[in-house]
Amino acid sequence: MSNMFSSSYRTCQELALSSPVDMLDMSNLQRGLAVPAYVEIAETLADEIAAGTWPPGTLLPTHKELQSRFDVSRITITSAIDELGKQGMVYSGYVGGRRGIIVRPIGRTDHFATEALRSDRIQTSYDAFSENARKVGRKPSKKFDMRMARPPAWIADRVGASHDEVVVIRITHQYLDGEPWARETSYYALDLAQKVGLDTTEDLSQGTIRALKDAGFEEIAWIDELTDESANPTDAADLAVPVGAPLLVQTRTAACSTRITRVSQFHRLGRRNRLIWELGKSAGLEIIRNARQGDSE
């Protein structure tokens, strides 16, 4: 059985006490561990997705159809689908007006984390997310929201706001080929946001980095922190993953020559992204890029 689902194994006693899901027969016991039926079903569906039986962007069979096929309860099918969701293989959504479980593309999508920071970045009318999506051959789309609220204390400290002061929070929900992919949440001190024009309910097609530069607050330094987290209910709703699914969280703190300009947090799907930092001179980077072209997943 694939290691992908090995973390889902539990003992017969634990399952009997904690879960009503169906169990496989004794022939499927391995190393003294019981394999829950939902794990077996999830692995079967994962193999079929990998084989192309259920192509990306299509719907899996309904819960009722899967119940009939595997002869198990609805809760077992739900657990199997949740397991696939935690592995980043499926999500809930609509295809052709029909709601169901949609198959995600297989593999990881490259995100070039330093591309928007390069001094020789080509001037376009797109923000960093849209530029990166086009670079990797995906179609980007976004939903934008702006609000003013008190941030967590540590973010207030970084942007130079008091703990009872509101800041401007700009939230962008990012989609690739219609698939929920990431959420970017950026925090700006209120006075800076007003000077730059970031206290608007409109998205900025060229991106906030260029807007800051145009207003005299060109960013010259950045520190990135990368952590792994489990999806909470808000993350689950925004990214169409089960609660507890793995997320890759990048926190970027940026500064101009005189002050902190922003704190941005990017919540991305775990197991579906490859973050790439490119540092150095163009000639050397080109050598490295050419060497990476043959890399396998």
Side-chain angles (χ1 to χ4, degrees):
M1 179 166 289
S2 169
N3 289 333
M4 178 181 294
F5 301 102
S6 61
S7 63
S8 299
Y9 299 167
R10 290 182 286 176
T11 64
C12 292
Q13 182 179 18
E14 289 174 325
L15 283 162
L17 292 173
S18 65
S19 175
V21 298
D22 302 277
M23 294 294 299
L24 301 181
D25 60 31
M26 292 298 292
S27 64
N28 285 318
L29 294 180
Q30 297 179 351
R31 296 185 301 278
L33 296 176
V35 182
Y38 78 89
V39 174
E40 186 84 358
I41 293 167
E43 184 169 72
T44 297
L45 293 173
D47 289 342
E48 292 176 352
I49 290 171
T53 303
W54 316 109
T58 63
L59 293 173
L60 284 181
T62 66
H63 278 60
K64 186 174 181 179
E65 290 168 337
L66 291 173
Q67 280 181 256
S68 177
R69 172 185 171 183
F70 292 104
D71 192 24
V72 294
S73 66
R74 182 178 180 84
I75 192 172
T76 298
I77 294 301
T78 298
S79 296
I81 297 301
D82 281 349
E83 191 67 28
L84 291 176
K86 289 178 181 178
Q87 302 300 327
M89 302 187 74
V90 300
Y91 68 101
S92 298
Y94 289 88
V95 173
R98 178 186 169 195
R99 182 170 178 80
I101 305 301
I102 305 172
V103 177
R104 295 186 189 267
I106 296 174
R108 299 178 189 270
T109 294
D110 289 346
H111 181 83
F112 295 86
T114 50
E115 191 72 15
L117 312 182
R118 295 183 63 86
S119 60
D120 58 352
R121 180 185 178 192
I122 298 174
Q123 183 72 28
T124 72
S125 59
Y126 302 118
D127 65 4
F129 165 69
S130 298
E131 287 177 359
N132 188 85
R134 287 172 167 81
K135 184 173 183 176
V136 297
R138 303 291 297 273
K139 181 180 178 181
S141 58
K142 301 180 294 179
K143 288 196 309 181
F144 173 75
D145 179 36
M146 189 282 291
R147 63 189 67 163
M148 295 185 186
R150 287 193 294 269
W154 68 270
I155 290 180
D157 291 340
R158 287 199 187 183
V159 301
S162 62
H163 290 184
D164 60 352
E165 186 178 355
V166 300
V167 301
V168 169
I169 307 172
R170 297 175 64 85
I171 304 171
T172 306
H173 301 270
Q174 302 170 342
Y175 303 82
L176 294 180
D177 301 321
E179 174 188 357
W181 199 259
R183 183 185 68 235
E184 176 183 348
T185 307
S186 292
Y187 302 84
Y188 304 85
L190 182 58
D191 68 303
L192 177 66
Q194 291 172 336
K195 292 175 182 177
V196 179
L198 300 179
D199 56 335
T200 172
T201 57
E202 300 296 323
D203 190 17
L204 304 179
S205 61
Q206 79 275 26
T208 56
I209 295 176
R210 291 192 178 105
L212 285 161
K213 180 179 179 180
D214 292 344
F217 300 96
E218 181 179 4
E219 294 182 345
I220 60 172
W222 306 266
I223 291 181
D224 282 4
E225 302 159 73
L226 197 61
T227 59
D228 60 309
E229 295 182 9
S230 297
N232 62 32
T234 298
D235 301 326
D238 289 345
L239 299 173
V241 295
V243 172
L247 300 178
L248 191 61
V249 181
Q250 175 192 0
T251 301
R252 171 168 290 171
T253 305
C256 64
S257 60
T258 58
R259 63 181 298 174
I260 296 293
T261 50
R262 63 187 166 101
V263 174
S264 295
Q265 283 201 308
F266 306 84
H267 287 72
R268 299 185 176 96
L269 302 178
R271 302 191 179 100
R272 300 303 317 283
N273 288 277
R274 181 188 293 109
L275 266 63
I276 299 173
W277 280 263
E278 294 187 332
L279 305 171
K281 296 184 178 180
S282 297
L285 288 173
E286 194 60 32
I287 293 173
I288 298 172
R289 290 170 188 150
N290 291 336
R292 290 186 67 249
Q293 284 182 356
D295 288 358
S296 57
E297 172 61 32

